[in-house]
Structure formats: structure tokens, C-alpha cells
Amino acid sequence: VERPRRQGMAKNTYMRWRLPLVCLLWEVAMIVLFGVFVRFGAEADAHWEEEKREMNLTSDIENDFYFRYPSFQDVHVMIFVGFGFLMTFLKRYGFGAVGFNFLLAAFGIQWALLMQGWFHSFKDGKIFIGVENLINADFCVGSVCIAFGAILGKTSPIQLLVMTLFQVTLFSVNEYILLNLLHVKDAGGSMTIHTFGAYFGLTVTRVLYRPNLEQSKDKQGSVYHSDLFAMIGTLYLWMYWPSFNSAISDHGDAQHRSAINTYCSLAACVLTTMAFSSMLQKKGKLDMVHIQNATLAGGVAVGTSAEMMLTPYGSLIVGSISGIVSTVGYVYFTPFLESRLHIQDTCGIHNLHAMPGLIGGIVGAITAAAATEDVYGKEG
Amino acid sequence: VERPRRQGMAKNTYMRWRLPLVCLLWEVAMIVLFGVFVRFGAEADAHWEEEKREMNLTSDIENDFYFRYPSFQDVHVMIFVGFGFLMTFLKRYGFGAVGFNFLLAAFGIQWALLMQGWFHSFKDGKIFIGVENLINADFCVGSVCIAFGAILGKTSPIQLLVMTLFQVTLFSVNEYILLNLLHVKDAGGSMTIHTFGAYFGLTVTRVLYRPNLEQSKDKQGSVYHSDLFAMIGTLYLWMYWPSFNSAISDHGDAQHRSAINTYCSLAACVLTTMAFSSMLQKKGKLDMVHIQNATLAGGVAVGTSAEMMLTPYGSLIVGSISGIVSTVGYVYFTPFLESRLHIQDTCGIHNLHAMPGLIGGIVGAITAAAATEDVYGKEG
Amino acid sequence: VERPRRQGMAKNTYMRWRLPLVCLLWEVAMIVLFGVFVRFGAEADAHWEEEKREMNLTSDIENDFYFRYPSFQDVHVMIFVGFGFLMTFLKRYGFGAVGFNFLLAAFGIQWALLMQGWFHSFKDGKIFIGVENLINADFCVGSVCIAFGAILGKTSPIQLLVMTLFQVTLFSVNEYILLNLLHVKDAGGSMTIHTFGAYFGLTVTRVLYRPNLEQSKDKQGSVYHSDLFAMIGTLYLWMYWPSFNSAISDHGDAQHRSAINTYCSLAACVLTTMAFSSMLQKKGKLDMVHIQNATLAGGVAVGTSAEMMLTPYGSLIVGSISGIVSTVGYVYFTPFLESRLHIQDTCGIHNLHAMPGLIGGIVGAITAAAATEDVYGKEG
């Protein structure tokens, strides 16, 4: 019985040996590098009892695990279900989207634990990891999932693995320069994750440009149910974005504030997206592409400033603007990118990640500049 | 290429200007009102360090964020994925269900933050918000999602936004009267959320009664995959209901108890629902409508009393009864409502929310009346 | 209108009275037994304030609820959405998978609370329950869901309920013998849950062997969308497995460590699964069956040892090996089981649960044997 379900992965006829070899060799490399470098951080190590006594902690609940694990799981869902299903809207590429996203993310988090570990958690020749490292690895892979959105349907799994290797490396270098050398604050990663990921992906898709792709566009359309699957991705990204932006903020009020700001920004973004989607379409219909994507721009745009004293109404303003910018981008900018610059942006990541990420950087700079001792208290 | 995916939203031909205008003007109003009124509560504000010292808290983990954020996220999933996908069972209305639910909830939470804030968190001319306000706003919007279930497939997004505006307002007034003036305890919202939401929705659908709707019933049928999508909604509502009922309970044993009671009630409800579904159908088949809906009645019915000392076996009894009542309602009461009272209840919210909510109120009253100092300790 | 959606449940023509009777009588039995035996544990009881004072706890956050509830909800999702949707891959059996899984799990958790309670939480003639009991009940039901995978599509709901009754009973006895009498440590349940559940299910499917099942194989195939639904199950199991393995570990570093080890093992497992899936297929295509199942073997195999000082690279090794073993099992062992031993293993649970569970037991024994005072500190 010829089962149609493998069709999404059908083109990769010659990868019989290449994919297994790459996967196995790279996994062996991971094992060796983890063996040499990676150890449990103090809060995950069996010596934690001693550590606790030294730090005068009275309770196990002070372990960072309890501050961050629920947020980590939300971020985890965003990477694997959120990004994976968001890209299932193509009628012929549902498995490719979910399956390849699964593969690249599973490799990416291992390589990211190493790369980010060398830059940020390296001590006495070892990388010490805890739940915050897992979150950061997921973040880093998030930027790869974003880039994947631009080239969706055009690449083999091996190409994706190679891209992941390069992008995670570059991500970590870029992050190190921004956070450690330039001392930029970017807890929600508007710039480090979203803008970086988007421009990386757009560069790759420009390189892979194929002029005759247009002919295969009927394969690229969506069907009713593939669009509903994509809504699963959209909603999980939308709902858990407050966890994304607050996951690595400081304990206490900063995490609390990040979640509230993101919640407000996203709510406002939905209304302006629907408004402009209806306004810019013939007959005022709503376009599912906008609902699936532009509604999320508010989370991207508030990433940098979410943990700052942006205030709830500030978040509504940021969210409103980013929903408008993103929707307008889908209607006017994506066709322009394709026809003039030969950049085929399958999922429209320029509208969802690049532009809102830039807005996020600007808003973060303004909010930080507007910070006064009065607003933050003398300890802030 | 004419894409079929917008079909669910196809009727709204003349909303090109009306929907954008309503969305944009209302969002501007939200921004202005948030700017005037809404500020971060003490636990989300950058002055939290000082607050912490004043209240003699030794650790950041005492921030309400860590008590309630995981439950908040579960409730958030129930509102957007739970209610959204529960309503995708109609073959032609999957996007309308998920998309319009998304729109009305995103607007509703903003308006609810204001309305509930004025009633409950207003101090010195400002509304101070924290994670508990976000949960309450989600709760309030939950009652709108319930009402949406009655009129599913019969309204435009603008009508839904108008309904949301009115219902959130009325919800907050009703909640204020019940909780603050009559001092009713209703942590899980059996009455304030479910019964209120259901009767509001039934009133609206009575007003919108169209006698020829029956002819379009073939459009209203379900198909195999739309029913599976609906099961996603059902299961997320079912699984996270313990979080729903415990989300705003007092810290400590009350939250713990609410979760256990709800878990027990829901488990029992599944068995009695399946029993009566099979019993009342020809040939003993199970009806997906009952499995999708009546299995949830146990969560509704235990809402008021979950944080009380209802005990696990009490929860099993409440869950068992509500499953039976709800299933019988689907078989006998919904057709009666439509043929005699001209109330077209698309999702059967009378069976899932109105009646179990009333049961919940009665159970709550009995449990509260049965409370003795022995059961609760002298501090309870 | 003949709706196709009940087709998956269509064979059970004569269950009109049997299913209702079993459900109702058993639920009444549960109510009676809960009434006699089950009470709230100290941390869920209204006397918690007094308990807190006695134990010198200064904060409500010390309640076990806050240590374990987020993990409990993740486990809950794994049981109902994870296992439920993983089994929807059959084209004609989506509802049977999700619906019957729902029914058996809802009954199973009640019976498991009693059985496990008598063995582990029994004091002065009562069973005292808290969030840890809910997790253990979900674990126990997990082993029934695993067994269900072997007989998927071959049983009526009544047979499943009877199987649940027996399996939960036997599970609890087996667990008591292993954990309490033989003092085995098995926090993630590699042996107690996975290996036990798998061999139980394989025994049942051997008993139910029907030689002419092969003819109905076209009914058993998957279609594109049913495979995407199954991916929802796969991903939720994969993402939340760190919560599964850490849910009942000791507070503090043990929970933290379990999550990290499981995260690493699962990531490695994806790569080796993809490698072998591609290598063993004609033309190097990836097989969705492997991606849906074998990618999870890493979570099973690391269950016993996750809370030990397995180290991250040790987890990568365990995950890599289990992915290979599981994929090879799907290609060579499942056909062998069916043709030679007349064991029809619909979901291939021997490859996903039995063998990785055995690996888990062996790894756990090695890790425990390798434990030294140096690694764990003198208090470990």
C-alpha cells in the first residue's frame, strides 16, 4: 500500500546515506563535547544541600528550578508545537514543517547548550548548566525556527542541519557581543532572537532563490484543515509569549512585569491586526495569514522592554503599532521582496520577526532612556 | 487561486469599514483608559524590593507571580485553545470559531481589566494590576466565550465585539453584587462565570432567532476531522479545569484542595456521561457531542465548592450527577428549547454551563452550611 | 444525515446496556470506597495552618502543591492529549483512540488513587491524598494507555475498562513489591510504568489474536491529517517528558537534575531515530511511524536514572542508544512478533516502551552502582 503520508518528505531521494551519517557523526560529536565540558550547575548537582547551607537558603523552593521551570516548559511548547504547527499551513508540507522543525530543534538545543555555555557559563574548564541554560538553548533554537520559516518547502533536512550549525554559532557570537560587550538588555530577545533570526533566514532564502518556484505555487497553497493546524501553532505562541519574555528575567517583580506587559501588548495587537487585515482585503474579509502571524508581532515588539517599566498602556501602544506594521508588511512588503529583491519569504518572517524586532529594539532604547530613579526605586 | 479557507468568514461582506473602525477606535479607547487608570501592582512594580522589606518577605519566591502564574497559563490555554477549538466541530465554521473567539477574547481581557479593576483594585484613582487580575480578566472573558457557544455561526465579528462589550460590563456588575455586596464565595465561578455566561448567551440567541436556520443545518454538521479538532478543545478544558477552579483560591491548602476536588469531580463525570450517552442513543453508540461537552460539566458543578472541604467522595458525587444532568439535557432539553422556546443553542451551553452552574451554586451553599469549626480548624 | 463520526465506535452494537451498567456501577463503587477511605492529606486540608506551625514552615509556598503542581499538569497533558492523540494515526479510529483513552484514564485514575493509596498512603484506616497522589495515579494510568496501544482497534470500551481494572490492580502490587519490598528506585518509572505496561499489553494482544486481522489492514492505514494529529500527541509527550521523570523526585536538585537529564536524552534520541529511520527505508525516506514513536524512547530509557547523577553526556548516550534500538525494533522486530509469535502490536509499544524500559532499568542499576560519596556528597 502506497501511503501518501511521506509525500512531504519525498523529494529527498538521495539522502539515504548522507542524512544518517550527518546525524550520527554530529551526535557522537555532541556526546564527546558534552563529556569533556558539560556538568550540572550547583542547583542541579547532588551537592546542592551543601551549596544551600553556604548560601543560607532555608528551603528547597529557592532552587532556580521553581522560579523558571514552568516558563521553560511554555517556551519548549512554543519551539516545538508553536513554530512547528505554525508552519503546517502548506497543504503539502505539514510533515516537513513539523518533522524537520523537530529535527533541527533537537540538534540545535544541544549545540546551543555548548556554544552559549562557552560564552556564558564557562568556569574552570567546564560548562555548568541549569534550567536557565535550557531556556537559553530553546531561545537560540527559536531563532533557527524563525529562519526556517523563510525557506519552508525549499530545503532538505541536511541543509537545515547545516544551517542550524552555522546559525547557532553565529547567534551565540552575536549574543555575546550585544549582551556582554555592548551591555544591551534584551530579555525577550527582540533583537538577538527575532531580528537576527529573520535576517539570517532572509539571507539564506535569497541565496536559495529559484525563479521557477512560482509554478509550484499550487502546491504551496493551504487547505481548510492545514490552516486549522496552523492556528494551533499560532495560539500556543500567542498564549505562552508572556512566558517567553519573562523566562530569564530577574526573579520577582521583573518576571511578573514582563508577563503583564507582554499579555497587554499581544491583546492590543490582535485588534489592530484584524482591523488592517479587513481593511486591506477585497470585500473586507479577514485573511487567515494575518491572523496566524501578525497577531504575534506584539510579543516580538515588546521583548526587549517587557521587563522594564514600560507600563500597561505603553504595552498596548507597542502592540497596536506592531500589529499594523506587520499586517501592512504582509500585504505590500512581501510581494515587493519577492518581485524586486528575489527574496521568497514563505512564512513572511520579515513582517512577523524582522520589523517588530526592530520596533522592539527602539522601544527598549526609549524605555531605558526614560528610566529614572523615581520609577525604579534606588535599587532598580 | 480562490482559497477556500476564508469561507467560514465569508458572509461578512459589508464589514470592510465597520470592523476596522470598531477595532481601531476601541483600541484607542483602551490605550487612553489604560493610560489614565492602569498601573503595575506592588508585586510587579520596580519598587517591589522596598515593598518586600516592608512586608518582611525574605525571598522573591513569595511574589504572587510564583503562586499563580502556572495556573494563569493553564486558564489562558482554556480560553483561547479550549473554548476556541471546542467550537470547531462545525464543518464550515472552524475558522470562525477559533478566529472570532481569538478576537473577542483579546478585546474582552482589556475591557475586563478595566471594569474589574474599577470594582476591585481601585485605589487613589488608579487600578493596580498583577497576575491575579490577568486571571480574573480571563475568567470574565470565559463567560463571553460560553455565550458565544450559543450563537456560534449566526453572528458577525462586530456583533460579537458589541456583545463582548456589554457582557463584560454586566459580568463585572453582577460579580460585584454577588461577591462584594452579598458576600458569596465563588472561586471557580459556577454562578458568576458559567450560569451568568450561559443565560446571557441564551438570551442573545433568542433575540437572534431565525426560523429558517434549520434549512442550513447541513452546513452545521460536523465531519470526522472537525470533531477531532473539537476534542483538542475538550481535553484542554478538561485537563486544566483544576487550575481554573484553584487559580484565585487562597495560597496554600485552598489551592491544593480546589485542584484535588476538581480532578475527582471531572473523572467521575466522564464515566456517567459515557454511561448515559450510550444508554440514550439507538444501538448504544457513544455520541461525540456528549463526550465533547458533558464530560466537562463536573468542572463547572464543582466550581463554587472546590476550595471548600467538599472532600474527594463529595466531588465524585457532584461530578457523577452533573454528567448525567448534562447528557440528559443534550438529548431531551436542547430540542425542547429550540422547538418550544425558539432558543437555538448551537453548542448546548444550557447543558454544559447553565444547569451544572446551578448545581454548583446549590452544592456550594450546602457545603458552606455544613462547615463546622471541627472541619476547618479555628482559623479556617 | 448519517454522520461518519461515530464510525470508530460503530462495532459495539450490543453495548447499549452493558457499558452504562459497568460505568454506573463502578462509579457508585468508587463513591462508596472514596467515602470510606479517601481524605485530604495534611497539605490540602483546612487544618494546614496548624500543620504549618507545627512543622515550622514560614510560608504557604512550602506547600507541596507549589513544588509539584506544574509538573502534575504536564503529566496530565501527556496522559490525555499525549497518549490520546499519539494513537489517532489510524484513519478510521481517531475517536476510538482519543475517546476510549479518555474513558479508561478517567476510570483508571480513581481506581489508582485507591489501590496506590492502600499501599502507600494508608494511615489509621484512611488514605490521605495530595498532589503527589494525583501524579502517581496519572503514572499508573499511563501504563494502561501504553497497553491500550498494543490492542488499539481491537477492543470494545467494556473490555478496556475491565483491562484497566486488572492492570491498575496488578500495577500497584508490582510497584509495591519493587519500590517497598525490593527498595528499587524508579522515579521516572522505566520499569514500573513502561516495561510493565508494555508486557501487560502484549500479553493481552496475544490473547486477542485474530488471524484475519490482516485483511482489514486497509482500515488500519493512516492518512495525511491523521498523522498530523498523531504528531500533536508525539510532541506533547516529548516536550513534557522532563516533567514526567521529575514529577515525584525529591524537592530541589533531584527534580532539577531529572529534568535536565531527560531533556538531553530526548534531544539525542531524535537524531539517532532520524538517522536509522532514513537508513533502513528504501530511498532514504523518513518514516512517520518512527518519528512519532521512536523519538520518545529516550524519555523512557532515562526514567529510572534521571534523578541520579547520570550527567548530561550520559543522558546523550542513553538517548542515542534507545533511539537506535527503538527504530530497529519497528523495522525488524514488530513484523517478527506478528508473524512468528502472533502478537499484533498496533502501536509498536514493544519498541517504544518495553525495550527502552529495560534499557532504563539497566542504566539505572549501573548509575546507582557507580554512585560514590564524592559524586553525591555525604548527604546524597
Side-chain angles (χ1 to χ4, degrees):
Chain A
V1 179
E2 178 51 42
R3 282 186 281 192
R5 59 176 161 163
R6 295 193 213 103
Q7 215 137 7
M9 301 173 173
K11 278 179 196 163
N12 316 293
T13 318
Y14 302 111
M15 70 185 188
R16 177 150 197 192
W17 291 107
R18 281 197 295 156
L19 183 65
L21 270 177
V22 170
C23 285
L24 292 177
L25 286 180
W26 290 16
E27 191 53 51
V28 169
M30 289 298 116
I31 291 172
V32 172
L33 289 168
F34 269 60
V36 175
F37 291 109
V38 181
R39 297 293 177 272
F40 291 123
E43 298 183 286
D45 194 279
H47 292 79
W48 155 251
E49 276 301 317
E50 298 155 30
E51 176 87 5
K52 227 170 71 180
R53 210 172 315 120
E54 262 172 52
M55 296 178 68
N56 260 324
L57 300 176
T58 52
S59 165
D60 279 325
I61 198 94
E62 300 278 341
N63 194 304
D64 199 35
F65 182 77
Y66 303 103
F67 286 93
R68 304 206 187 276
Y69 188 72
S71 308
F72 158 67
Q73 273 299 0
D74 295 350
V75 172
H76 218 39
V77 171
M78 291 173 74
I79 301 299
F80 289 88
V81 163
F83 284 114
F85 274 89
L86 182 62
M87 295 187 280
T88 56
F89 68 96
L90 293 178
K91 148 173 74 181
R92 287 254 173 238
Y93 207 69
F95 294 136
V98 175
F100 295 165
N101 188 66
F102 195 15
L103 174 61
L104 74 84
F107 167 67
I109 54 181
Q110 297 177 60
W111 182 229
L113 278 175
L114 286 166
M115 281 302 302
Q116 295 183 320
W118 283 318
F119 279 121
H120 301 288
S121 313
F122 199 62
K123 212 180 122 187
D124 304 331
K126 302 288 174 205
I127 296 165
F128 293 96
I129 64 171
V131 65
E132 196 172 334
N133 299 67
L134 306 191
I135 297 170
N136 275 311
D138 271 22
F139 278 0
C140 178
V141 160
S143 99
V144 184
C145 300
I146 291 165
F148 180 28
I151 55 175
L152 186 66
K154 293 187 269 182
T155 47
S156 73
I158 295 175
Q159 288 175 307
L160 286 171
L161 284 173
V162 172
M163 184 183 89
T164 305
L165 183 76
F166 279 102
Q167 192 176 350
V168 167
T169 311
L170 216 63
F171 177 97
S172 306
V173 173
N174 180 53
E175 188 190 43
Y176 181 74
I177 294 171
L178 283 176
L179 305 192
N180 296 52
L181 302 185
L182 303 179
H183 299 289
V184 169
K185 292 282 272 180
D186 194 13
S190 293
M191 291 164 291
T192 54
I193 301 168
H194 298 286
T195 307
F196 172 79
Y199 283 114
F200 192 99
L202 293 170
T203 309
V204 175
T205 197
R206 179 66 190 79
V207 171
L208 297 175
Y209 177 68
R210 292 179 302 173
N212 57 342
L213 194 75
E214 222 130 333
Q215 294 162 12
S216 67
K217 262 214 170 141
D218 59 318
K219 275 189 189 169
Q220 291 215 354
S222 68
V223 291
Y224 200 83
H225 278 142
S226 71
D227 259 335
L228 261 184
F229 278 114
M231 276 307 288
I232 296 175
T234 300
L235 287 174
Y236 273 98
L237 287 167
W238 194 90
M239 294 181 301
Y240 285 165
W241 216 293
S243 302
F244 192 91
N245 284 347
S246 67
I248 57 163
S249 292
D250 288 342
H251 293 172
D253 58 299
Q255 279 198 287
H256 202 150
R257 193 161 56 239
S258 301
I260 296 175
N261 279 330
T262 311
Y263 176 95
C264 290
S265 176
L266 285 163
C269 186
V270 174
L271 269 86
T272 55
T273 296
M274 299 268 189
F276 272 74
S277 176
S278 166
M279 197 191 292
L280 300 176
Q281 293 290 310
K282 281 175 210 158
K283 300 182 188 170
K285 284 178 189 175
L286 292 163
D287 189 328
M288 282 310 284
V289 171
H290 306 156
I291 297 176
Q292 281 161 8
N293 291 281
T295 51
L296 301 168
V300 177
V302 90
T304 306
S305 53
E307 65 172 13
M308 304 177 187
M309 286 294 284
L310 179 60
T311 74
Y313 73 90
S315 305
L316 293 188
I317 295 172
V318 174
S320 300
I321 292 172
S322 57
I324 295 169
V325 168
S326 185
T327 310
V328 171
Y330 274 99
V331 178
Y332 297 114
F333 208 70
T334 301
F336 170 83
L337 276 182
E338 179 153 0
S339 60
R340 297 299 165 90
L341 304 181
H342 296 325
I343 294 174
Q344 292 157 327
D345 182 2
T346 316
C347 294
I349 61 169
H350 190 267
N351 315 304
L352 174 48
H353 297 281
M355 290 193 296
L358 289 173
I359 295 174
I362 296 164
V363 171
I366 295 170
T367 316
T372 61
E373 196 183 283
D374 187 45
V375 171
Y376 284 88
K378 47 191 171 195
E379 284 148 276
Chain B
V1 180
E2 178 53 43
R3 283 186 282 192
R5 58 178 162 162
R6 294 194 213 103
Q7 216 136 7
M9 301 172 172
K11 278 180 195 159
N12 316 293
T13 318
Y14 301 110
M15 71 185 187
R16 175 148 197 193
W17 291 107
R18 282 196 295 157
L19 182 64
L21 269 177
V22 169
C23 286
L24 291 177
L25 286 179
W26 290 17
E27 191 53 51
V28 169
M30 289 299 116
I31 292 172
V32 171
L33 289 168
F34 269 61
V36 175
F37 290 109
V38 181
R39 297 293 178 270
F40 291 122
E43 298 184 284
D45 194 278
H47 291 78
W48 155 252
E49 276 302 317
E50 298 156 30
E51 177 86 6
K52 225 170 72 179
R53 211 175 311 121
E54 262 173 51
M55 296 179 68
N56 260 325
L57 301 176
T58 52
S59 166
D60 279 325
I61 198 92
E62 299 278 341
N63 194 305
D64 200 34
F65 182 78
Y66 303 103
F67 286 93
R68 304 205 186 277
Y69 188 73
S71 308
F72 158 67
Q73 273 298 0
D74 294 349
V75 172
H76 217 40
V77 171
M78 291 173 74
I79 302 299
F80 289 89
V81 163
F83 284 115
F85 273 89
L86 182 62
M87 295 188 279
T88 55
F89 68 95
L90 294 178
K91 143 171 80 182
R92 287 253 173 239
Y93 207 69
F95 293 135
V98 175
F100 295 165
N101 187 66
F102 194 16
L103 174 62
L104 73 82
F107 167 67
I109 54 181
Q110 298 177 60
W111 181 229
L113 277 175
L114 286 166
M115 281 302 302
Q116 295 183 319
W118 283 318
F119 278 120
H120 301 288
S121 314
F122 200 61
K123 211 181 122 188
D124 305 330
K126 302 288 174 205
I127 296 164
F128 293 96
I129 65 171
V131 66
E132 197 172 334
N133 299 67
L134 306 191
I135 296 170
N136 274 310
D138 270 22
F139 278 1
C140 177
V141 161
S143 98
V144 184
C145 299
I146 290 164
F148 179 30
I151 56 175
L152 186 67
K154 292 188 270 184
T155 47
S156 73
I158 295 174
Q159 287 174 308
L160 286 171
L161 284 173
V162 172
M163 184 183 88
T164 306
L165 183 76
F166 279 103
Q167 191 175 349
V168 168
T169 310
L170 216 64
F171 176 97
S172 306
V173 173
N174 180 53
E175 187 189 43
Y176 180 74
I177 294 171
L178 283 175
L179 304 192
N180 296 52
L181 302 186
L182 303 180
H183 298 290
V184 170
K185 290 282 273 182
D186 194 13
S190 293
M191 292 164 291
T192 53
I193 300 169
H194 298 287
T195 308
F196 172 80
Y199 283 112
F200 192 99
L202 293 170
T203 310
V204 175
T205 196
R206 179 68 191 77
V207 171
L208 297 176
Y209 178 68
R210 292 178 302 171
N212 58 343
L213 195 74
E214 223 131 332
Q215 295 161 10
S216 67
K217 264 217 170 139
D218 60 318
K219 273 188 191 171
Q220 290 214 354
S222 69
V223 290
Y224 199 84
H225 277 142
S226 70
D227 259 335
L228 261 185
F229 278 114
M231 276 307 290
I232 297 175
T234 299
L235 286 175
Y236 274 98
L237 287 167
W238 194 89
M239 295 180 301
Y240 286 165
W241 216 294
S243 301
F244 192 92
N245 284 347
S246 67
I248 58 163
S249 292
D250 286 343
H251 293 172
D253 58 301
Q255 279 198 285
H256 202 150
R257 193 160 55 240
S258 302
I260 295 175
N261 279 329
T262 311
Y263 176 96
C264 290
S265 175
L266 285 163
C269 186
V270 174
L271 268 86
T272 56
T273 296
M274 298 269 188
F276 272 74
S277 176
S278 166
M279 197 191 294
L280 301 176
Q281 294 290 311
K282 282 176 210 158
K283 301 183 187 171
K285 283 179 191 173
L286 291 164
D287 189 327
M288 284 308 285
V289 171
H290 306 157
I291 297 176
Q292 281 160 8
N293 292 281
T295 50
L296 302 168
V300 176
V302 90
T304 306
S305 53
E307 65 171 13
M308 304 178 188
M309 285 295 284
L310 178 61
T311 73
Y313 73 89
S315 305
L316 292 187
I317 295 173
V318 174
S320 300
I321 293 172
S322 57
I324 295 170
V325 168
S326 184
T327 309
V328 171
Y330 274 98
V331 178
Y332 297 113
F333 209 71
T334 301
F336 170 83
L337 276 182
E338 180 152 0
S339 60
R340 296 299 164 90
L341 303 181
H342 296 325
I343 295 175
Q344 293 157 325
D345 182 0
T346 316
C347 293
I349 61 169
H350 190 267
N351 315 304
L352 173 49
H353 298 282
M355 290 193 297
L358 289 174
I359 294 174
I362 295 163
V363 172
I366 295 170
T367 317
T372 62
E373 197 182 280
D374 187 45
V375 172
Y376 284 89
K378 49 192 174 196
E379 284 148 273
Chain C
V1 181
E2 179 52 41
R3 281 185 283 189
R5 58 175 162 164
R6 296 195 212 101
Q7 217 136 5
M9 300 173 173
K11 280 180 195 159
N12 317 292
T13 319
Y14 302 110
M15 69 184 189
R16 176 146 196 194
W17 291 107
R18 282 197 295 156
L19 183 64
L21 269 177
V22 170
C23 285
L24 291 178
L25 287 179
W26 289 15
E27 191 53 51
V28 169
M30 289 299 116
I31 291 171
V32 172
L33 289 168
F34 269 60
V36 175
F37 291 108
V38 181
R39 298 292 178 270
F40 290 123
E43 299 184 284
D45 193 278
H47 292 78
W48 154 252
E49 276 301 317
E50 298 156 30
E51 176 86 5
K52 224 170 72 181
R53 212 174 310 120
E54 263 172 52
M55 296 179 66
N56 261 324
L57 301 176
T58 52
S59 165
D60 280 325
I61 198 93
E62 299 278 341
N63 195 303
D64 199 35
F65 182 78
Y66 302 104
F67 285 92
R68 304 208 187 276
Y69 187 71
S71 307
F72 157 66
Q73 274 297 359
D74 294 350
V75 172
H76 218 38
V77 171
M78 291 173 74
I79 302 300
F80 290 89
V81 163
F83 284 115
F85 273 89
L86 182 62
M87 295 187 279
T88 56
F89 69 96
L90 294 178
K91 143 172 82 181
R92 287 254 174 237
Y93 207 70
F95 293 136
V98 174
F100 295 165
N101 187 66
F102 195 16
L103 173 62
L104 75 84
F107 167 67
I109 54 181
Q110 298 177 60
W111 181 229
L113 277 175
L114 286 165
M115 280 302 302
Q116 295 183 318
W118 283 318
F119 278 120
H120 301 288
S121 314
F122 200 61
K123 212 181 121 187
D124 303 332
K126 302 287 174 205
I127 296 165
F128 293 96
I129 65 170
V131 66
E132 197 172 335
N133 299 67
L134 307 191
I135 296 170
N136 274 311
D138 271 22
F139 277 0
C140 177
V141 161
S143 100
V144 185
C145 300
I146 290 165
F148 180 28
I151 56 174
L152 186 68
K154 293 187 268 183
T155 47
S156 74
I158 295 174
Q159 289 175 306
L160 286 171
L161 284 173
V162 172
M163 183 182 89
T164 305
L165 184 76
F166 279 102
Q167 191 175 351
V168 167
T169 310
L170 216 63
F171 177 97
S172 305
V173 173
N174 180 54
E175 187 190 44
Y176 181 73
I177 294 171
L178 283 176
L179 305 194
N180 295 52
L181 303 186
L182 303 180
H183 300 289
V184 170
K185 292 282 275 182
D186 194 13
S190 293
M191 291 163 292
T192 54
I193 301 169
H194 297 286
T195 307
F196 171 80
Y199 284 113
F200 192 99
L202 293 170
T203 310
V204 175
T205 196
R206 180 66 190 80
V207 172
L208 297 175
Y209 177 69
R210 292 178 302 173
N212 57 342
L213 193 76
E214 222 131 330
Q215 293 160 13
S216 67
K217 262 216 170 141
D218 59 318
K219 273 188 190 170
Q220 290 214 357
S222 69
V223 290
Y224 200 83
H225 277 142
S226 71
D227 259 335
L228 261 184
F229 278 114
M231 277 306 289
I232 296 176
T234 299
L235 287 175
Y236 274 99
L237 287 167
W238 193 90
M239 295 181 300
Y240 286 165
W241 216 294
S243 302
F244 192 92
N245 284 348
S246 67
I248 57 162
S249 292
D250 287 344
H251 293 173
D253 58 298
Q255 280 198 285
H256 203 150
R257 193 162 53 240
S258 302
I260 295 174
N261 279 330
T262 312
Y263 176 95
C264 290
S265 176
L266 286 163
C269 186
V270 174
L271 268 86
T272 55
T273 297
M274 299 267 188
F276 273 74
S277 175
S278 167
M279 198 190 294
L280 301 175
Q281 293 291 311
K282 281 176 209 157
K283 299 184 188 171
K285 283 178 190 173
L286 291 164
D287 189 327
M288 282 311 284
V289 171
H290 306 157
I291 298 176
Q292 281 160 8
N293 292 281
T295 51
L296 302 168
V300 176
V302 89
T304 306
S305 54
E307 66 173 13
M308 304 177 187
M309 284 296 282
L310 178 61
T311 72
Y313 73 89
S315 305
L316 293 187
I317 295 172
V318 174
S320 300
I321 293 172
S322 57
I324 294 170
V325 169
S326 184
T327 309
V328 171
Y330 274 100
V331 178
Y332 298 112
F333 209 71
T334 301
F336 170 84
L337 277 181
E338 180 152 2
S339 59
R340 298 296 165 92
L341 305 180
H342 296 325
I343 294 174
Q344 293 157 326
D345 182 2
T346 316
C347 294
I349 61 170
H350 190 267
N351 315 303
L352 175 48
H353 298 281
M355 291 192 296
L358 290 174
I359 295 175
I362 295 164
V363 172
I366 296 171
T367 317
T372 62
E373 197 183 280
D374 187 47
V375 172
Y376 284 89
K378 47 191 173 197
E379 285 148 274

